[in-house]
Amino acid sequence: MYVQEHKMQKLKFFSLSLLSLLLLFSANQAWSCSMYKITVGDKTMVGCNEDAWRTSPRIWFEIGDGTTSYGAAFTGSRYDGSNGFAPQSGMNEFGLCFSRLAASPPKENPTSSVIKKTINNPTQYLKDILHNCKTVAEVQSYIEAYDYSFFNEDVFIYIDQSGDYLVVEPYCLTLGHEPTYVLSNFCPSCTPQAKALKLDRYLKGVTFLQNKQDSSLSFCTALSDTMHVCRARNGDGTLLTSIWDLKNGIVTLYFYHNYKNYIQFNIKDEIAKGNHQLEIPALFPPNKEFERLATYSIPQNNRNMMLFLIFCAGLFAVSAFYFIFSFFESRRTSKYPYVKLLLVPLNLMLLYYMYVLARNINLFYFDAPYQDVEFSLLNLAAYLPFLLILLIIPLWLFNIKILKEKSWMLFPRLLFTFNNAVYIVLICLFAYWGFYSVVG
C-alpha cells in the first residue's frame, strides 16, 4: 500500500513539474490594429481601428476641473477591474488625441541611470495624460518623467490640433510633423519600412494616401474601411473604428466593420453632461456578425470550457507518466504493450496543446491550421486535432479488444477507456471551434 501511494505521489510531482514547464511555452500573439492621421490646412483627423475579439466596446466621458484637469472621451473594450475599461483611443476637449497599438517588444533594451516615476496604474496613467496635457510637447514632458518602458509590448501615438504627433515606443519618443502618418503593430524606430509594409493593413493605408490627402469624414471613412480587418472565420476583425476631428471636437464611431451606420458625439457637449459611459453595441442596429462572435464560446469566455481544458491537462499528464511506467513493467507479460507506448507521446502532445488553447486566443479565430507569426511549436501543434481524429478509430478498436479480453489490469483498462472518451469530447470541441475547417 505504501509503495503504491509513493508511486502516485511521484506521478503527481512529475505531472505538476511538467505542467509548470509547459507554462513557459507561451505562443506569440498576433495583433491587427491600425491608425492614421491626416492634416490639411488647420484641420487634423485621426482614425483608429481597434481589432479585437472582445465583445464589450465602450465609449466614456470624464470631466475635468476646468483649470489643471481637462475633460476627455475614451474608447476601449478591455475591462480592468476597479479601474474600469482600459483606454484604447481618446481625445480631450483641447483636441489632443491618442491611439494605442500592440507591438512586439524591441530586441534591444537600453538602460538609463535616470531615476523615473513608476507606472503603478497603467489605465489611470493613460487617462491622466489627456486630463493634463494640451499639446504633444506637453505629453512628451509628462511621459519623460515616467519609466514608460512599462508598456513593453505597446506603441502609442499622440496628435494635437496642430497636426504634430509624438510616437511613444518602449524606449524611444519621436516627434513628427508630417501631414499624414500611418501606424500599425510595430515600433517604427527599429522596424525597416520593407518589413512594416508586409503588414497588409499598414500597406493599404500608406498606398491609399499616396495620391490624395483629404480631411473630410467621407475620405477618412473610406481610409478606415480600406485598413480594416475582416477574416472569414467567425467574422472576426475590426471591433470598433473611431474617427476623431481634432478641430471641431467630434468623434465618429463605426461598429464591427460596418461603415454604413455611424454615430457621432461632440466631446464638449458630452463632457458637460458629467461622467458617463455608453455600451457601443446598444447604439447600433443588430449586427449578425457581432452576434455570432458574442455567442461563440471558447475557454477564454466560458468557465466550463477552461475547467475542462485544465482537467484534460491533468489527465494527460498523469496518463502519460502512468503508461510509460506501465509499459516497462508489463511489456513482456501483457498484450498490446505498444498501445501504451503510443499513448505516452500522444498525451504529452495533447497536454501541451491544452495549455496552448488556454493561453493563446488566436487559435480560435485565425484560419486553420493555425500558423504563428514566426515559426514556433504552434505551427506543428496545429495539426494535433487532425492526428487525433486519425487515431481515434484504431484506439477505440484496441480499447474494445482490451476490454473484451481483459488483456490489461483493471486500472489501465479504465484509464485507457477514459482517455478515449475524453478524446471524443475534444474532437467535438475542435470541430465546433473550426480547427478542421481548412477549406472555405
Coordinates of all heavy atoms in Angstrom, one line a residue, residues 316-378:
F316 N -4.0 14.0 -19.0 CA -3.0 13.7 -19.9 C -1.6 13.5 -19.3 O -0.8 12.7 -19.6 CB -2.9 14.7 -21.1 CG -4.2 14.7 -21.9 CD1 -4.6 15.9 -22.5 CD2 -5.0 13.6 -22.0 CE1 -5.8 15.9 -23.3 CE2 -6.2 13.6 -22.8 CZ -6.6 14.7 -23.4
A317 N -1.3 14.4 -18.3 CA 0.0 14.4 -17.6 C 0.1 13.1 -16.8 O 1.1 12.3 -16.9 CB 0.1 15.6 -16.7
V318 N -1.0 12.8 -16.0 CA -1.0 11.5 -15.2 C -0.9 10.3 -16.1 O -0.2 9.4 -15.9 CB -2.2 11.5 -14.3 CG1 -2.3 10.1 -13.6 CG2 -2.1 12.6 -13.2
S319 N -1.7 10.3 -17.2 CA -1.8 9.2 -18.1 C -0.5 8.9 -18.8 O 0.0 7.7 -18.9 CB -2.9 9.4 -19.1 OG -4.1 9.5 -18.6
A320 N 0.2 10.0 -19.2 CA 1.5 9.8 -19.9 C 2.5 9.1 -19.0 O 3.2 8.2 -19.4 CB 2.0 11.1 -20.4
F321 N 2.6 9.6 -17.8 CA 3.6 9.0 -16.8 C 3.2 7.6 -16.4 O 4.0 6.7 -16.3 CB 3.7 9.9 -15.6 CG 4.6 11.1 -15.8 CD1 4.0 12.4 -15.8 CD2 5.9 11.0 -16.1 CE1 4.8 13.5 -16.0 CE2 6.7 12.1 -16.3 CZ 6.2 13.3 -16.3
Y322 N 1.9 7.4 -16.2 CA 1.4 6.1 -15.8 C 1.7 5.1 -16.9 O 2.2 4.0 -16.7 CB 0.0 6.1 -15.5 CG -0.5 4.7 -15.1 CD1 -0.4 4.2 -13.8 CD2 -1.1 3.9 -16.1 CE1 -0.8 2.9 -13.5 CE2 -1.5 2.6 -15.8 CZ -1.4 2.1 -14.5 OH -1.8 0.8 -14.2
F323 N 1.4 5.4 -18.2 CA 1.5 4.4 -19.3 C 3.0 4.1 -19.6 O 3.3 3.0 -20.0 CB 0.7 4.9 -20.5 CG -0.7 4.7 -20.4 CD1 -1.6 5.7 -20.6 CD2 -1.2 3.4 -20.1 CE1 -3.0 5.5 -20.5 CE2 -2.6 3.2 -20.1 CZ -3.5 4.2 -20.2
I324 N 3.9 5.1 -19.4 CA 5.3 4.8 -19.7 C 5.8 3.9 -18.6 O 6.6 2.9 -18.9 CB 6.1 6.1 -19.8 CG1 7.5 5.8 -20.3 CG2 6.2 6.8 -18.4 CD1 7.6 5.3 -21.7
F325 N 5.4 4.1 -17.4 CA 5.9 3.2 -16.3 C 5.2 1.8 -16.5 O 5.9 0.7 -16.4 CB 5.5 3.7 -14.9 CG 6.2 4.9 -14.5 CD1 5.6 5.9 -13.7 CD2 7.5 5.2 -15.0 CE1 6.3 7.0 -13.3 CE2 8.2 6.3 -14.6 CZ 7.6 7.3 -13.8
S326 N 4.0 1.8 -16.9 CA 3.3 0.5 -17.1 C 3.8 -0.3 -18.3 O 3.9 -1.5 -18.2 CB 1.8 0.8 -17.3 OG 1.1 -0.4 -17.5
F327 N 4.3 0.5 -19.3 CA 4.8 -0.2 -20.5 C 6.1 -1.0 -20.1 O 6.3 -2.2 -20.4 CB 5.2 0.8 -21.5 CG 6.0 0.3 -22.7 CD1 5.5 -0.5 -23.7 CD2 7.4 0.6 -22.7 CE1 6.2 -1.0 -24.7 CE2 8.2 0.1 -23.7 CZ 7.6 -0.7 -24.7
F328 N 7.0 -0.3 -19.3 CA 8.2 -1.0 -19.0 C 8.0 -2.1 -18.0 O 8.8 -3.1 -17.9 CB 9.2 0.0 -18.4 CG 9.8 0.9 -19.5 CD1 9.5 2.2 -19.6 CD2 10.7 0.3 -20.5 CE1 10.1 3.0 -20.6 CE2 11.2 1.1 -21.5 CZ 10.9 2.5 -21.5
E329 N 7.0 -2.0 -17.1 CA 6.7 -3.0 -16.1 C 6.1 -4.3 -16.7 O 6.3 -5.4 -16.2 CB 5.8 -2.4 -15.0 CG 6.6 -1.5 -14.1 CD 5.7 -1.0 -13.0 OE1 4.5 -1.3 -13.0 OE2 6.2 -0.3 -12.1
S330 N 5.2 -4.1 -17.8 CA 4.4 -5.2 -18.2 C 4.6 -5.5 -19.7 O 3.7 -6.2 -20.3 CB 2.9 -4.9 -17.9 OG 2.5 -3.7 -18.6
R331 N 5.6 -4.9 -20.4 CA 5.7 -5.1 -21.8 C 5.9 -6.6 -22.2 O 5.6 -7.0 -23.3 CB 6.8 -4.2 -22.4 CG 8.2 -4.6 -22.0 CD 9.2 -3.6 -22.6 NE 10.5 -3.9 -22.3 CZ 11.2 -3.6 -21.2 NH1 10.6 -3.1 -20.2 NH2 12.5 -4.0 -21.1
R332 N 6.5 -7.4 -21.3 CA 6.7 -8.8 -21.6 C 5.6 -9.7 -21.1 O 5.6 -10.9 -21.5 CB 8.0 -9.3 -20.9 CG 9.3 -8.5 -21.4 CD 10.5 -9.0 -20.8 NE 11.7 -8.2 -21.0 CZ 12.4 -8.2 -22.2 NH1 12.1 -9.1 -23.1 NH2 13.4 -7.4 -22.4
T333 N 4.7 -9.2 -20.4 CA 3.6 -10.1 -19.8 C 2.2 -9.7 -20.3 O 1.3 -10.6 -20.1 CB 3.7 -10.0 -18.3 OG1 3.5 -8.6 -17.9 CG2 5.0 -10.5 -17.7
S334 N 2.0 -8.6 -20.8 CA 0.6 -8.2 -21.2 C 0.6 -8.0 -22.7 O 1.6 -7.7 -23.4 CB 0.2 -6.9 -20.5 OG 0.9 -5.8 -20.9
K335 N -0.6 -8.1 -23.3 CA -0.8 -7.9 -24.7 C -0.9 -6.4 -25.1 O -1.2 -5.6 -24.2 CB -2.1 -8.6 -25.2 CG -2.1 -10.2 -25.0 CD -3.4 -10.8 -25.4 CE -3.6 -10.7 -26.9 NZ -4.8 -11.4 -27.4
Y336 N -0.6 -6.1 -26.3 CA -0.7 -4.8 -26.8 C 0.1 -3.8 -26.0 O -0.4 -2.7 -25.7 CB -2.2 -4.3 -26.9 CG -3.1 -5.4 -27.4 CD1 -4.2 -5.9 -26.6 CD2 -3.0 -5.8 -28.7 CE1 -5.0 -6.8 -27.1 CE2 -3.9 -6.8 -29.2 CZ -4.9 -7.3 -28.4 OH -5.8 -8.3 -28.9
P337 N 1.3 -4.1 -25.6 CA 2.1 -3.1 -24.8 C 2.4 -1.8 -25.6 O 2.5 -0.7 -25.0 CB 3.4 -3.9 -24.5 CG 3.5 -4.8 -25.6 CD 2.1 -5.2 -26.0
Y338 N 2.5 -1.9 -26.9 CA 2.9 -0.7 -27.7 C 1.7 0.3 -27.8 O 1.9 1.4 -28.2 CB 3.4 -1.1 -29.0 CG 4.8 -1.7 -28.9 CD1 4.9 -3.1 -28.9 CD2 5.9 -0.9 -28.7 CE1 6.2 -3.7 -28.7 CE2 7.2 -1.5 -28.5 CZ 7.3 -2.9 -28.6 OH 8.5 -3.5 -28.4
V339 N 0.5 -0.1 -27.5 CA -0.6 0.8 -27.4 C -0.3 1.8 -26.2 O -0.5 3.0 -26.4 CB -1.9 0.1 -27.2 CG1 -3.0 1.1 -26.9 CG2 -2.3 -0.8 -28.4
K340 N 0.2 1.2 -25.1 CA 0.6 2.1 -24.0 C 1.7 3.1 -24.4 O 1.7 4.2 -24.0 CB 1.1 1.3 -22.8 CG 0.0 0.4 -22.2 CD 0.6 -0.5 -21.1 CE -0.5 -1.4 -20.5 NZ 0.0 -2.2 -19.4
L341 N 2.6 2.6 -25.2 CA 3.7 3.4 -25.6 C 3.2 4.5 -26.5 O 3.8 5.7 -26.5 CB 4.8 2.6 -26.3 CG 6.2 3.2 -26.5 CD1 6.8 3.6 -25.2 CD2 7.1 2.3 -27.3
L342 N 2.3 4.2 -27.4 CA 1.7 5.2 -28.2 C 1.0 6.3 -27.4 O 1.1 7.5 -27.8 CB 0.7 4.6 -29.2 CG -0.2 5.6 -30.0 CD1 0.7 6.4 -31.0 CD2 -1.2 4.8 -30.8
L343 N 0.3 5.9 -26.3 CA -0.4 6.9 -25.5 C 0.5 7.9 -24.9 O 0.0 9.0 -24.5 CB -1.3 6.2 -24.5 CG -2.4 5.4 -25.1 CD1 -3.0 4.5 -24.0 CD2 -3.5 6.3 -25.7
V344 N 1.7 7.6 -24.6 CA 2.6 8.5 -23.9 C 2.9 9.8 -24.7 O 2.6 10.9 -24.3 CB 4.0 7.8 -23.6 CG1 4.9 8.8 -22.9 CG2 3.7 6.6 -22.6
P345 N 3.5 9.7 -26.0 CA 3.7 10.9 -26.7 C 2.4 11.6 -27.1 O 2.3 12.9 -27.1 CB 4.5 10.5 -28.0 CG 4.1 9.0 -28.1 CD 4.0 8.5 -26.7
L346 N 1.3 10.8 -27.4 CA 0.1 11.5 -27.7 C -0.4 12.3 -26.6 O -0.9 13.5 -26.8 CB -1.0 10.4 -28.1 CG -2.4 10.9 -28.4 CD1 -2.3 11.8 -29.6 CD2 -3.3 9.7 -28.6
N347 N -0.4 11.8 -25.4 CA -0.9 12.6 -24.2 C 0.0 13.7 -23.9 O -0.5 14.8 -23.5 CB -1.1 11.6 -23.0 CG -2.3 10.8 -23.0 OD1 -3.3 11.2 -23.7 ND2 -2.4 9.7 -22.4
L348 N 1.3 13.6 -24.1 CA 2.2 14.7 -23.8 C 2.0 15.8 -24.8 O 2.0 17.0 -24.4 CB 3.7 14.2 -23.9 CG 4.1 13.4 -22.7 CD1 5.6 12.9 -22.9 CD2 4.0 14.1 -21.4
M349 N 1.8 15.4 -26.1 CA 1.5 16.5 -27.1 C 0.1 17.2 -26.8 O 0.0 18.4 -26.9 CB 1.5 15.9 -28.5 CG 2.8 15.5 -29.0 SD 2.9 14.9 -30.7 CE 2.0 13.4 -30.6
L350 N -0.9 16.4 -26.4 CA -2.2 17.0 -26.1 C -2.1 17.8 -24.8 O -2.8 18.8 -24.7 CB -3.2 15.9 -25.9 CG -3.6 15.2 -27.3 CD1 -4.6 14.0 -27.0 CD2 -4.3 16.2 -28.2
L351 N -1.2 17.4 -23.9 CA -1.0 18.2 -22.7 C -0.5 19.6 -23.0 O -1.0 20.6 -22.6 CB 0.0 17.5 -21.8 CG 0.5 18.3 -20.6 CD1 -0.6 18.7 -19.6 CD2 1.6 17.5 -19.8
Y352 N 0.5 19.6 -23.9 CA 1.0 20.9 -24.4 C -0.1 21.7 -25.1 O -0.3 22.9 -24.9 CB 2.2 20.7 -25.3 CG 2.6 21.9 -26.1 CD1 3.1 23.0 -25.5 CD2 2.4 22.0 -27.5 CE1 3.5 24.2 -26.2 CE2 2.7 23.1 -28.2 CZ 3.3 24.2 -27.6 OH 3.6 25.3 -28.3
Y353 N -0.9 21.0 -25.9 CA -1.9 21.7 -26.7 C -3.0 22.3 -25.8 O -3.6 23.3 -26.1 CB -2.5 20.7 -27.7 CG -3.2 21.4 -28.9 CD1 -2.6 22.4 -29.6 CD2 -4.6 21.0 -29.2 CE1 -3.2 23.0 -30.7 CE2 -5.2 21.6 -30.3 CZ -4.5 22.6 -31.0 OH -5.2 23.2 -32.1
M354 N -3.3 21.6 -24.7 CA -4.3 22.1 -23.8 C -3.9 23.5 -23.2 O -4.7 24.4 -23.1 CB -4.6 21.2 -22.6 CG -5.2 19.8 -23.0 SD -6.8 20.0 -23.9 CE -6.3 19.8 -25.6
Y355 N -2.6 23.6 -22.9 CA -2.1 24.8 -22.3 C -2.0 25.9 -23.4 O -2.2 27.1 -23.1 CB -0.7 24.6 -21.7 CG -0.9 24.4 -20.2 CD1 -1.0 23.1 -19.8 CD2 -1.0 25.4 -19.3 CE1 -1.2 22.8 -18.4 CE2 -1.2 25.1 -18.0 CZ -1.3 23.8 -17.5 OH -1.5 23.6 -16.2
V356 N -1.7 25.5 -24.6 CA -1.7 26.5 -25.7 C -3.2 27.0 -25.9 O -3.3 28.2 -26.1 CB -1.3 25.8 -27.0 CG1 -1.6 26.7 -28.2 CG2 0.2 25.5 -27.0
L357 N -4.1 26.1 -25.9 CA -5.5 26.6 -26.1 C -6.0 27.5 -24.9 O -6.8 28.4 -25.1 CB -6.5 25.4 -26.2 CG -6.3 24.5 -27.4 CD1 -7.3 23.3 -27.3 CD2 -6.6 25.3 -28.7
A358 N -5.5 27.2 -23.7 CA -5.8 28.1 -22.6 C -5.2 29.4 -22.6 O -5.7 30.4 -22.0 CB -5.5 27.3 -21.3
R359 N -4.0 29.5 -23.3 CA -3.2 30.7 -23.2 C -3.2 31.6 -24.5 O -2.9 32.8 -24.4 CB -1.8 30.4 -22.9 CG -1.6 29.8 -21.5 CD -0.2 29.2 -21.3 NE 0.9 30.2 -21.5 CZ 1.3 31.0 -20.5 NH1 0.8 30.9 -19.3 NH2 2.3 31.8 -20.7
N360 N -3.6 31.0 -25.6 CA -3.5 31.7 -26.9 C -4.8 31.8 -27.6 O -5.3 30.8 -28.2 CB -2.5 31.0 -27.8 CG -2.1 31.9 -29.0 OD1 -2.9 32.6 -29.5 ND2 -0.8 31.8 -29.3
I361 N -5.5 32.9 -27.5 CA -6.8 33.1 -28.0 C -6.8 33.1 -29.5 O -7.8 32.9 -30.2 CB -7.4 34.4 -27.5 CG1 -8.9 34.5 -27.7 CG2 -6.7 35.6 -28.1 CD1 -9.6 35.7 -27.0
N362 N -5.7 33.4 -30.1 CA -5.6 33.5 -31.6 C -6.1 32.2 -32.3 O -6.6 32.3 -33.4 CB -4.2 33.8 -32.0 CG -3.7 35.2 -31.5 OD1 -4.5 36.0 -31.3 ND2 -2.4 35.3 -31.4
L363 N -5.8 31.1 -31.7 CA -6.1 29.8 -32.4 C -7.6 29.7 -32.7 O -8.0 29.0 -33.7 CB -5.7 28.6 -31.5 CG -4.2 28.2 -31.6 CD1 -3.3 29.1 -30.9 CD2 -4.1 26.8 -31.0
F364 N -8.4 30.3 -31.9 CA -9.9 30.2 -32.1 C -10.5 31.1 -33.1 O -11.6 30.9 -33.5 CB -10.6 30.4 -30.7 CG -10.1 29.5 -29.6 CD1 -9.2 29.9 -28.7 CD2 -10.7 28.2 -29.5 CE1 -8.8 29.1 -27.7 CE2 -10.3 27.4 -28.5 CZ -9.3 27.8 -27.6
Y365 N -9.6 32.0 -33.7 CA -10.2 33.0 -34.6 C -9.4 33.0 -36.0 O -10.0 33.3 -37.0 CB -10.1 34.4 -34.0 CG -11.0 34.5 -32.8 CD1 -10.5 34.4 -31.5 CD2 -12.4 34.7 -33.0 CE1 -11.4 34.5 -30.4 CE2 -13.2 34.8 -31.9 CZ -12.7 34.7 -30.6 OH -13.5 34.8 -29.5
F366 N -8.2 32.6 -36.0 CA -7.4 32.6 -37.2 C -7.7 31.3 -38.0 O -8.2 30.3 -37.4 CB -5.9 32.8 -37.0 CG -5.5 34.2 -36.7 CD1 -5.7 34.7 -35.4 CD2 -5.0 35.0 -37.7 CE1 -5.3 36.0 -35.1 CE2 -4.6 36.3 -37.4 CZ -4.8 36.8 -36.1
D367 N -7.4 31.4 -39.3 CA -7.7 30.2 -40.1 C -6.9 29.0 -39.7 O -5.8 29.0 -39.1 CB -7.2 30.5 -41.6 CG -8.1 31.6 -42.2 OD1 -9.2 31.8 -41.7 OD2 -7.6 32.2 -43.2
A368 N -7.5 27.8 -39.9 CA -7.0 26.5 -39.5 C -6.3 25.9 -40.7 O -6.8 26.0 -41.9 CB -8.0 25.6 -39.0
P369 N -5.2 25.1 -40.5 CA -4.4 25.0 -39.3 C -3.7 26.3 -39.0 O -3.1 26.9 -39.9 CB -3.5 23.9 -39.5 CG -3.3 23.9 -41.0 CD -4.6 24.3 -41.6
Y370 N -3.7 26.7 -37.7 CA -3.1 28.0 -37.3 C -1.6 28.0 -37.5 O -0.9 27.0 -37.2 CB -3.4 28.2 -35.8 CG -2.8 29.4 -35.3 CD1 -3.4 30.7 -35.5 CD2 -1.6 29.4 -34.5 CE1 -2.8 31.8 -35.0 CE2 -1.0 30.5 -34.0 CZ -1.6 31.8 -34.3 OH -1.0 32.9 -33.8
Q371 N -1.1 29.1 -38.0 CA 0.3 29.3 -38.2 C 0.7 30.5 -37.5 O 0.2 31.6 -37.7 CB 0.6 29.4 -39.7 CG 0.3 28.1 -40.5 CD 1.1 26.9 -40.0 OE1 2.3 26.8 -40.2 NE2 0.4 25.9 -39.4
D372 N 1.7 30.4 -36.6 CA 2.1 31.6 -35.8 C 2.9 32.6 -36.7 O 3.3 32.3 -37.8 CB 3.1 31.1 -34.7 CG 3.0 31.9 -33.5 OD1 2.3 33.0 -33.6 OD2 3.5 31.5 -32.4
V373 N 3.0 33.8 -36.2 CA 3.6 34.9 -37.0 C 5.0 34.5 -37.3 O 5.5 34.6 -38.4 CB 3.6 36.2 -36.2 CG1 4.3 37.3 -36.9 CG2 2.2 36.6 -35.9
E374 N 5.8 34.0 -36.3 CA 7.1 33.4 -36.5 C 7.0 31.9 -36.2 O 6.3 31.5 -35.3 CB 8.1 34.1 -35.6 CG 8.3 35.6 -35.9 CD 9.3 36.3 -35.0 OE1 9.9 35.6 -34.2 OE2 9.5 37.5 -35.2
F375 N 7.8 31.1 -36.9 CA 7.7 29.7 -36.7 C 7.9 29.3 -35.2 O 8.8 29.8 -34.6 CB 8.7 29.0 -37.6 CG 8.6 27.5 -37.5 CD1 7.7 26.8 -38.3 CD2 9.4 26.7 -36.6 CE1 7.6 25.4 -38.2 CE2 9.3 25.4 -36.5 CZ 8.3 24.7 -37.3
S376 N 7.0 28.5 -34.7 CA 7.1 28.0 -33.3 C 6.5 26.6 -33.3 O 6.0 26.1 -34.3 CB 6.4 29.0 -32.4 OG 5.0 28.9 -32.6
L377 N 6.4 26.1 -32.0 CA 5.8 24.8 -31.8 C 4.4 24.8 -32.3 O 3.8 23.7 -32.6 CB 5.9 24.4 -30.4 CG 7.3 23.9 -29.9 CD1 7.2 23.6 -28.4 CD2 7.7 22.7 -30.6
L378 N 3.7 26.0 -32.2 CA 2.3 26.1 -32.6 C 2.1 25.6 -34.1 O 1.0 25.1 -34.4 CB 1.8 27.5 -32.4 CG 1.2 27.7 -31.1 CD1 0.6 29.2 -31.0 CD2 0.1 26.7 -30.8

